[in-house]
Amino acid sequence: MDNQKITHQNIAQKQGELKRDMKMRHLLMIAFGGAIGTGLFVGTGGNIASAGPLGTLIAYCFGGLVVYCIMLSLGELASVYPTTGSFGDYAAKFIGPGTGYMVFWMYWLGWVITVALEYIAIGMIMQRWFAGIPIHYWVILCIALVFLLNFFSVKIFAEGEFFFSLIKVLAVIAFIGIGAIGIIYQIYLHGFSSIFDNFHFGDKGFFPNGSAAVFSAMLAVIFAFTGTEVIGVAVGETKNASEVMPKAIKATLWRIVFFFLGSVFVISVFLPMSDSSITQSPFVSVLERINLPFIGMGIPYVADIMNAVIITAMFSTANSGLYGASRMIYGLSKQKMFFKVFSKLNRQGTPTYAMFFSLSFSLIGLLVQIYAKENVVEALINVISFTVIIVWVSVSVLQYSFRKQYLKAGHSLADLPYKAPFLPFLQLIGITGCVIGVIGSAMDKDQRIGMILTIVFAIVCYIGYYFTQKANENNKKDLI
């Protein structure tokens, strides 16, 4: 590591052409928008149905702790190295280029699959109002809109994401607020103990499907928190990144955890485990049956209102997903690990070829919707979770390796724009949490296929890096 103190300006000059047009408010909302999506609005019901209310709360508490540790580590790295390549760049620098290559592709794969599944989910919800229009028409419309938001400039993307994320955040705040009023009213009518009626199941206790179900829910919880880390990619196109990143980390983490835990608790109070499923958003189910003073049971038109919010949330996730995936391809190209054409930018500073490449693979959503069975979709969701686990583990390892090299080079911790606390316990908690998620999924035969597919893809990535290096060596020989 160079002994010269690393500054934001130096990094910006090295990185080159990407425009730093994002602001603090954009970064905050991208962090919110990346996290608050399908996993929370839809997947929570399935978690409660399998692990029970208390088990789901435990899983979300643990998942919140893990993502908190990962984001603190990422905050230190991204404050010093605010590059769009983010995880892949860090892995290539502090572990090895082969691992960097794998991390680039792993994060790209997770987002491409996410975008494809979000398209399908939007189409399925839209059929509530337009039953006669096939789902793939909505998929095509979503692709066109996401393309327009990402193509022209990062500023247009950031403004769009700010707007969509704001809707999600306000919806979650309103849901928790309405839930709190409902809980107080229920205590007034039936006593304090009534809010815990859904938590205990007679002879089965608090965990009706056993404690193993709680471990299995960990993978779904990781999927729910997926997207928080996209802030590490967006910081590479943010003004004053070294100053903004620490503020963004501090401002978002506790809010995100509060949103998740608050929502899950409200759902657990009003929605019995037997009525929880993935067929309807638990947010809709709760608002349809919640008893409020002066209103009574249920809020008028709540299903339509909430479904519109959920569509916005899914579209926002797809928007962030294409952004994250295209920047991974751009980062690969900048690292000379992929074709040079994918690092070319248009006049507005957008890596259009990288975007088209990622967008084309997200068309898998059309094929999945037409041909795939339900268990295929579940396997793809598990693959997303495992790709994120690999990225999160790499962040913890990278930050520990970076800190050792930083101090060994003669730097002082006081020079860091942001210093992650509790080294190495922070990294151990992050890694341990991810490992527990893997163990929990291994206990569930329905989740193992996703783990196997992800491992196979990781092996393919390392093999791909080997051939990439061979091709580069041969090109150099031809030039001599």
Side-chain angles (χ1 to χ4, degrees):
M1 184 183 300
D2 190 348
N3 286 330
Q4 182 183 359
K5 182 179 177 181
I6 299 168
T7 64
H8 164 72
Q9 289 79 11
N10 290 338
I11 295 296
Q13 289 171 4
K14 290 179 183 178
Q15 187 178 346
E17 306 95 341
L18 285 175
K19 293 185 178 180
R20 294 183 179 272
D21 282 340
M22 290 195 202
K23 301 176 181 177
M24 176 71 171
R25 63 183 179 88
H26 296 141
L27 205 61
L28 290 175
M29 281 302 176
I30 287 171
F32 286 133
I36 302 173
T38 310
L40 177 63
F41 282 122
V42 180
T44 306
N47 294 337
I48 293 175
S50 61
L54 183 60
T56 301
L57 275 171
I58 291 172
Y60 270 99
C61 284
F62 190 74
L65 176 63
V66 172
V67 76
Y68 184 74
C69 294
I70 300 299
M71 291 298 289
L72 288 178
S73 294
L74 178 61
E76 180 171 301
L77 285 164
S79 296
V80 178
Y81 298 101
T83 65
T84 302
S86 192
F87 324 105
D89 285 342
Y90 306 151
K93 185 176 182 65
F94 296 110
I95 297 180
T99 300
Y101 184 86
M102 183 272 293
V103 170
F104 269 122
W105 280 113
M106 198 63 69
Y107 196 59
W108 173 85
L109 176 68
W111 269 128
V112 167
I113 296 175
T114 298
V115 172
L117 295 183
E118 297 296 339
Y119 293 155
I120 298 171
I122 290 172
M124 292 174 66
I125 295 177
M126 289 300 292
Q127 289 201 315
R128 173 186 177 91
W129 300 299
F130 305 97
I133 300 178
I135 291 176
H136 60 267
Y137 283 16
W138 298 113
V139 172
I140 294 170
L141 178 61
C142 287
I143 290 171
L145 292 175
V146 169
F147 164 78
L148 291 173
L149 281 171
N150 277 267
F151 178 77
F152 292 103
S153 72
V154 71
K155 190 172 184 179
I156 292 176
F157 159 78
E159 290 293 348
E161 192 57 30
F162 177 86
F163 174 75
F164 294 129
S165 297
L166 183 61
I167 293 174
K168 291 192 286 187
V169 170
L170 292 176
V172 173
I173 292 174
F175 177 79
I176 295 174
I178 293 170
I181 295 171
I183 289 171
I184 294 171
Y185 191 54
Q186 182 165 311
I187 292 173
Y188 171 75
L189 293 176
H190 306 293
F192 183 79
S193 62
S194 65
I195 65 175
F196 299 105
D197 289 345
N198 291 335
F199 284 79
H200 196 270
F201 303 90
D203 296 337
K204 295 182 178 180
F206 291 103
F207 306 107
N209 293 325
S211 57
V214 180
F215 286 97
S216 296
M218 292 292 183
L219 194 67
V221 169
I222 288 173
F223 172 74
F225 280 112
T226 298
T228 313
E229 75 293 326
V230 77
I231 191 175
V233 179
V235 74
E237 295 175 77
T238 303
K239 295 178 180 179
N240 303 318
S242 296
E243 299 174 10
V244 168
M245 186 62 178
K247 295 177 182 177
I249 292 291
K250 293 175 183 177
T252 57
L253 279 177
W254 286 112
R255 288 175 175 85
I256 288 173
V257 173
F258 167 75
F259 288 158
F260 275 82
L261 294 182
S263 299
V264 172
F265 182 73
V266 170
I267 292 168
S268 299
V269 169
F270 293 104
L271 191 64
M273 179 179 173
S274 58
D275 293 342
S276 302
S277 69
I278 60 173
T279 57
Q280 176 173 272
S281 168
F283 282 67
V284 175
S285 299
V286 167
L287 292 173
E288 285 179 335
R289 69 177 63 201
I290 194 169
N291 190 9
L292 295 172
F294 311 113
I295 296 178
M297 193 70 70
I299 300 173
Y301 307 107
V302 67
D304 289 327
I305 295 170
M306 203 64 221
N307 278 320
V309 171
I310 292 170
I311 287 173
T312 302
M314 292 174 174
F315 184 80
S316 171
T317 302
N319 189 40
S320 293
L322 181 61
Y323 171 82
S326 64
R327 267 48 178 188
M328 289 300 102
I329 298 299
Y330 171 82
L332 271 167
S333 181
K334 293 291 286 184
Q335 288 276 357
K336 295 181 172 55
M337 295 178 179
F338 204 43
F339 300 109
K340 187 178 180 180
V341 66
F342 292 111
S343 59
K344 290 186 177 181
L345 309 177
N346 64 10
R347 292 180 180 179
Q348 291 78 30
T350 301
T352 49
Y353 293 104
M355 189 191 73
F356 284 130
F357 180 82
S358 301
L359 191 66
S360 65
F361 276 89
S362 71
L363 291 174
I364 191 176
L366 287 172
L367 300 177
V368 170
Q369 187 272 318
I370 295 171
Y371 299 108
K373 297 180 180 179
E374 184 178 343
N375 57 350
V376 175
V377 175
E378 292 176 359
L380 290 175
I381 291 174
N382 291 335
V383 168
I384 295 169
S385 301
F386 283 114
T387 59
V388 172
I389 284 175
I390 290 174
V391 172
W392 284 5
V393 169
S394 73
V395 169
S396 293
V397 174
L398 290 167
Q399 194 255 327
Y400 181 77
S401 176
F402 157 73
R403 181 76 72 84
K404 287 183 66 176
Q405 293 184 38
Y406 189 81
L407 294 175
K408 188 177 180 181
H411 296 291
S412 169
L413 294 181
D415 295 332
L416 289 171
Y418 173 73
K419 183 179 72 172
F422 311 123
L423 191 87
F425 301 106
L426 191 77
Q427 292 76 22
L428 290 174
I429 293 172
I431 294 171
T432 301
C434 292
V435 170
I436 289 175
V438 173
I439 294 173
S441 64
M443 296 167 63
D444 187 340
K445 59 179 175 49
D446 294 330
Q447 295 182 1
R448 287 176 201 151
I449 182 64
M451 180 172 63
I452 294 170
L453 290 172
T454 308
I455 292 171
V456 169
F457 185 76
I459 294 171
V460 169
C461 286
Y462 278 107
I463 294 172
Y465 173 74
Y466 171 80
F467 285 107
T468 298
Q469 289 300 101
K470 281 290 185 182
N472 288 339
E473 289 174 6
N474 291 334
N475 288 336
K476 289 178 182 178
K477 289 177 181 178
D478 292 340
L479 292 173
I480 295 174

